């Protein structure tokens, strides 16, 4: 079972940028739909970006046009480039993977089997 590890979280000011990374040593993601999720204090975890096996992407409306999900060619590392950050982007960010047999790449957390421990992002005004 893949152990996903996020990195790159931290603090930024409104309008700033951060890039998150997610890796799983010894595994590649080429056969998996991968996603980024976030959870703000007191709120449910929400899907914000997903990338399919073919490289197709989908985003939550709240981050569309500001965040970009990508993966390296080897499929070893997943990224989330976050630009034009807002205070409401504050929260814990998680990367996750669907099982290889999943037929649909979705933003629904329940569809993901493998999760990282999360990395914290704080955006100040």
């Amino acid at each position: 079972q893949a152990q996903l590890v996020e990195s790159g979280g931290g603090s930024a000011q409104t309008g700033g940028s951060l890039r998150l990374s997610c890796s799983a040593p010894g595994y590649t993601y080429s056969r998996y739909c991968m996603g980024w999720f976030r959870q703000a204090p007191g709120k449910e975890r929400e899907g914000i970006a997903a990338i399919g096996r073919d490289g197709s992407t989908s985003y939550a409306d709240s981050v569309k046009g500001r965040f970009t999900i990508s993966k390296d060619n080897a499929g070893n590392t997943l990224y989330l480039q976050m630009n034009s950050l807002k205070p409401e982007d504050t929260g814990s960010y998680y990367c996750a993977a669907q099982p290889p047999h999943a037929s649909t790449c979705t933003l629904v957390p329940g569809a993901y089997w493998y999760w990282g421990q999360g990395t914290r992002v704080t955006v100040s005004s």
Side-chain angles (χ1 to χ4, degrees), residues 1-6 22-29 75-78 95:
Q1 179 174 332
Q3 296 294 320
L4 303 175
V5 180
E6 302 95 340
C22 172
S23 63
Y27 289 86
T28 61
Y29 298 136
N76 295 324
T77 306
L78 182 72
C95 68

Side-chain angles (χ1 to χ4, degrees), residues 62-108:
S62 59
V63 305
K64 198 172 294 183
R66 300 188 299 121
F67 291 10
T68 302
I69 187 172
S70 62
K71 56 186 177 181
D72 66 0
N73 289 336
N76 295 324
T77 306
L78 182 72
Y79 301 100
L80 184 68
Q81 178 66 43
M82 304 187 295
N83 298 329
S84 302
L85 284 164
K86 303 175 180 180
E88 51 263 45
D89 294 321
T90 294
S92 294
Y93 283 70
Y94 302 85
C95 68
Q98 291 189 239
H101 61 265
S103 59
T104 303
C105 195
T106 176
L107 292 175
V108 177

Side-chain angles (χ1 to χ4, degrees), residues 1-23:
Q1 179 174 332
Q3 296 294 320
L4 303 175
V5 180
E6 302 95 340
S7 62
S11 299
Q13 293 189 329
T14 297
S17 298
L18 287 171
R19 189 174 82 155
L20 306 183
S21 299
C22 172
S23 63

